[in-house]
Coordinates of all heavy atoms in Angstrom, one line a residue:
R53 N -23.0 -172.1 -41.8 CA -23.5 -170.9 -40.9 C -23.6 -171.4 -39.5 O -24.7 -171.4 -38.9 CB -24.8 -170.4 -41.5 CG -24.6 -169.7 -42.8 CD -25.8 -168.7 -43.0 NE -25.6 -168.0 -44.3 CZ -24.8 -166.9 -44.4 NH1 -24.2 -166.4 -43.4 NH2 -24.7 -166.4 -45.6
T55 N -23.9 -171.6 -35.5 CA -24.5 -170.7 -34.5 C -23.4 -170.1 -33.6 O -22.4 -170.8 -33.4 CB -25.6 -171.4 -33.7 OG1 -25.0 -172.5 -33.0 CG2 -26.7 -171.9 -34.6
R63 N -15.4 -153.3 -22.3 CA -15.4 -151.9 -22.3 C -14.6 -151.4 -21.1 O -14.9 -151.7 -20.0 CB -16.8 -151.3 -22.2 CG -17.6 -151.5 -23.5 CD -19.0 -151.0 -23.4 NE -19.7 -151.3 -24.6 CZ -21.0 -151.6 -24.7 NH1 -21.7 -151.7 -23.5 NH2 -21.6 -151.8 -25.8
E143 N -41.0 -148.5 -48.1 CA -40.0 -149.0 -49.0 C -40.1 -150.5 -49.1 O -40.5 -151.2 -48.2 CB -38.6 -148.6 -48.6 CG -38.4 -147.1 -48.5 CD -38.2 -146.5 -49.9 OE1 -37.9 -147.3 -50.9 OE2 -38.3 -145.3 -50.1
Q252 N -33.2 -171.8 -57.2 CA -34.4 -172.7 -57.1 C -35.4 -172.1 -56.1 O -35.0 -171.9 -54.9 CB -33.9 -174.1 -56.7 CG -35.1 -175.1 -56.6 CD -34.6 -176.5 -56.3 OE1 -33.4 -176.7 -56.0 NE2 -35.5 -177.5 -56.2
D316 N -25.8 -134.7 -41.3 CA -25.7 -134.4 -39.9 C -24.8 -135.4 -39.2 O -24.0 -135.1 -38.4 CB -27.1 -134.5 -39.3 CG -27.9 -133.2 -39.4 OD1 -27.2 -132.1 -39.7 OD2 -29.1 -133.2 -39.2

Side-chain angles (χ1 to χ4, degrees):
R53 290 202 179 275
T55 59
R63 293 180 181 140
E143 295 287 341
Q252 184 176 2
D316 275 344

